[in-house]
Amino acid sequence: MWCYRGGSISAEPRINDRIRVPEVRLVGPSGEQVGIVPLAKALELAQEYDLDLVEVAANARPPVCKLMDYGKFKYESAMKAREARKNQAHTVIKEMKLRPKIDPHDYDTKKGHVVRFLKQGDKVKITIMFRGREQSRPELGFRLLQRLASDVEDLGFIESNPKQDGRNMIMVLGPHKKKTEAMAEAREAQAARKADRVEADRAKSEADAPTETPSEA
């Protein structure tokens, strides 16, 4: 039985003298098609341009290679990947627990949290907790969930209808806005607030600045 005993397989492309083929399909530094050339000629051109010969399609016949600054290419690729991870939107499921006989003040507080979560682009799992005799009145929990869904319908929708889960009743609300949209709006709002503060500070500085009075002749 064949067994691989070498080191880990590198995902890095072969460059320069690591390329071991007689000829390559060469792409120039600006993306122009040079054509099929001997490997020695491609390496010679790389030296003339002070660039690297990088194998970009190893499985092609012949392999496709491009003239580029490989160090710069790797750096720019790493920065793009970092920015993509930074802006990646992860869907988060928040949870809010209520009692079927919740008082109006607590209800408004809980609803406020649900509104905030939905505005952020997060899903919200609403859990109604029944205790004792309340378990015989599931309609109380159902009506409460329907009321909450109606109160926030401008921001979210019922993604999972109310269902009984032991002593609890659960409903999931989904946001109308995507997480990426919510994040973009939050950044815009933050930038606007910063601009307003700068303008307010500037206006205050101008108001506090001493005014010159004309001197007497």
Side-chain angles (χ1 to χ4, degrees):
M1 182 181 294
W2 181 86
C3 179
Y4 175 73
R5 298 182 182 278
S8 59
I9 299 176
S10 174
E12 296 287 333
R14 293 187 296 182
I15 65 172
N16 300 326
D17 56 359
R18 295 181 183 177
I19 302 172
R20 304 290 186 180
V21 292
E23 60 183 14
V24 300
R25 184 178 297 277
L26 186 62
V27 179
S30 300
E32 68 276 15
Q33 297 291 330
V34 178
I36 298 175
V37 300
L39 176 62
K41 178 62 176 178
L43 290 171
E44 181 181 333
L45 289 173
Q47 289 183 341
E48 290 181 8
Y49 283 106
D50 193 23
L51 295 172
D52 298 298
L53 181 66
V54 182
E55 190 178 56
V56 295
N59 294 328
R61 293 293 179 269
V64 180
C65 294
K66 183 176 182 181
L67 297 174
M68 68 172 72
D69 183 337
Y70 187 57
K72 180 180 179 181
F73 171 76
K74 285 188 66 177
Y75 173 77
E76 291 177 348
S77 296
M79 293 301 294
K80 289 179 181 178
R82 180 181 178 184
E83 189 66 20
R85 289 193 298 269
K86 179 180 177 181
N87 294 328
Q88 188 175 7
H90 296 282
T91 301
V92 177
I93 298 181
K94 304 288 187 177
E95 184 172 12
M96 188 59 56
K97 296 182 178 180
L98 296 81
R99 295 293 307 281
K101 296 181 180 180
I102 188 171
D103 67 65
H105 175 73
D106 286 344
Y107 174 81
D108 290 338
T109 300
K110 300 280 188 178
K111 184 181 70 174
H113 291 314
V114 174
V115 167
R116 177 164 54 87
F117 295 148
L118 292 173
K119 283 184 176 180
Q120 292 172 354
D122 296 322
K123 296 182 181 182
V124 189
K125 175 183 175 183
I126 312 295
T127 302
I128 305 294
M129 301 179 297
F130 296 95
R131 294 180 182 175
R133 297 180 179 178
E134 292 174 347
Q135 296 180 61
S136 63
R137 301 288 306 279
E139 69 277 5
L140 296 178
F142 182 81
R143 285 200 296 265
L144 182 58
L145 290 175
Q146 290 294 316
R147 173 190 173 190
L148 180 58
S150 177
D151 287 346
V152 299
E153 64 181 357
D154 290 342
L155 300 172
F157 62 95
I158 298 178
E159 185 173 286
S160 177
N161 288 315
K163 61 181 179 180
Q164 197 76 26
D165 183 16
R167 295 185 177 183
N168 301 327
M169 183 175 288
I170 297 172
M171 177 182 72
V172 177
L173 295 175
H176 290 313
K177 291 181 182 178
K178 294 181 179 179
K179 185 72 171 179
T180 50
E181 294 175 353
M183 292 171 62
E185 289 186 0
R187 287 194 294 266
E188 291 176 1
Q190 184 179 12
R193 289 194 297 269
K194 183 177 180 180
D196 290 342
R197 288 197 299 268
V198 171
E199 181 62 24
D201 291 342
R202 186 187 66 80
K204 185 175 184 301
S205 297
E206 292 179 353
D208 293 342
T211 57
E212 295 183 1
T213 55
S215 58
E216 296 181 359

